[in-house]
Amino acid sequence: GNSVTQMEGPVTLSEEAFLTINCTYTATGYPSLFWYVQYPGEGLQLLLKATKADDKGSNKGFEATYRKETTSFHLEKGSVQVSDSAVYFCALRSPNAGKSTFGDGTTLTVKP
Amino acid sequence: GAVVSQHPSRVICKSGTSVKIECRSLDFQATTMFWYRQFPKQSLMLMATSNEGSKATYEQGVEKDKFLINHASLTLSTLTVTSAHPEDSSFYICSARGGMGGNTSTDTQYFGPGTRLTVL
């Protein structure tokens, strides 16, 4: 079955540091890949997505590239801000699948 | 586009009462909605998948008589926690798969803001 493995947290960085949160997956076929962000006390928001190999999703300075050869979708940001502190979830959905598969989430804390 | 609302955002109830949580897709039609439960500092736990006009599909270990799900229209799904007990206290999040309208994509889930349930 499908699975998503995320880098374990928590991750603590100083403001303006470079961020990488690793995500690898196992899936049949060619899934769509997603990153969601959850701010404290809120639901999840779609951050970015990619639907085919070599696609790069980007939003708010975050990027992730769909790497089929390594089955990865690592999230990166060149310079994090305190406001980026949140929980980040990697997810996938296979074509014709009824539901998405989520990773366990990675908590990011950015200190001033 | 792609706005999903939940109501109420917070609810406190006495043990033994029932609580209904509404999930609405405001600007698109969602044939499929999902209900999740999230404990503090933990990941999402999928409870059930509901399709408009049919019975919900529950995940293993989720009591269907305890957590009643109704998806009567393309924009509304409800979760009723029956005879709630303190162990049901949690953060409940719904999401809707994109469909017609709202510049949505059918491969993407759009999430509501969540409902914090506290059972005394």
Side-chain angles (χ1 to χ4, degrees):
Chain A
N2 293 346
S3 69
V4 175
T5 303
Q6 274 183 246
M7 172 177 165
E8 283 193 29
V11 174
T12 302
L13 296 173
S14 297
E15 206 165 22
E16 299 184 3
F18 184 86
L19 168 71
T20 299
I21 300 178
N22 290 340
C23 172
T24 57
Y25 67 91
T26 302
T28 53
Y30 297 88
S32 295
L33 302 175
F34 307 85
W35 276 100
Y36 288 87
V37 57
Q38 183 180 31
Y39 297 103
E42 299 182 13
L44 277 68
Q45 300 175 28
L46 177 65
L47 180 59
L48 54 86
K49 72 179 208 182
T51 58
K52 61 183 187 295
D54 299 326
D55 268 2
K56 178 186 284 187
S58 61
N59 186 24
K60 299 181 182 179
F62 291 90
E63 293 183 341
T65 301
Y66 190 143
R67 301 284 187 203
K68 186 143 183 76
E69 64 277 12
T70 54
T71 62
S72 65
F73 194 54
H74 304 322
L75 182 68
E76 296 182 338
K77 186 174 185 181
S79 176
V80 293
Q81 305 300 313
V82 173
S83 57
D84 294 327
S85 297
V87 181
Y88 292 82
F89 291 92
C90 185
L92 69 84
R93 181 170 177 269
S94 290
N96 303 317
K99 58 191 178 185
S100 299
T101 302
F102 286 81
D104 289 339
T106 302
T107 300
L108 170 67
T109 301
V110 180
K111 297 188 174 181
Chain B
V3 177
V4 176
S5 71
Q6 274 184 249
H7 178 78
S9 57
R10 292 178 180 273
V11 56
I12 301 173
C13 68
K14 292 183 178 179
S15 186
T17 60
S18 293
V19 175
K20 180 185 283 189
I21 302 170
E22 292 186 349
C23 177
R24 294 181 185 273
S25 56
L26 298 184
D27 54 353
F28 66 101
Q29 294 181 339
T31 54
T32 304
M33 289 186 172
F34 306 88
W35 287 96
Y36 293 85
R37 185 172 178 177
Q38 186 179 37
F39 292 99
K41 301 190 178 186
Q42 292 190 25
S43 187
L44 304 171
M45 185 193 82
L46 179 64
M47 299 174 66
T49 302
S50 75
N51 292 296
E52 185 265 339
S54 63
K55 290 184 178 180
T57 302
Y58 289 81
E59 295 298 301
Q60 192 172 11
V62 178
E63 299 175 60
K64 60 180 67 175
D65 294 331
K66 171 83 174 167
F67 299 99
L68 301 179
I69 291 172
N70 183 279
H71 192 162
S73 79
L74 287 171
T75 58
L76 173 64
S77 176
T78 60
L79 167 68
T80 301
V81 182
T82 62
S83 187
H85 290 284
E87 58 265 30
D88 299 323
S89 298
S90 192
F91 194 51
Y92 292 88
I93 307 174
C94 76
S95 77
R97 181 183 300 152
M100 287 186 62
N103 192 27
T104 58
S105 176
T106 55
D107 69 349
T108 301
Q109 287 183 218
Y110 302 91
F111 285 81
T115 296
R116 174 74 59 194
L117 171 63
T118 303
V119 185
L120 302 177

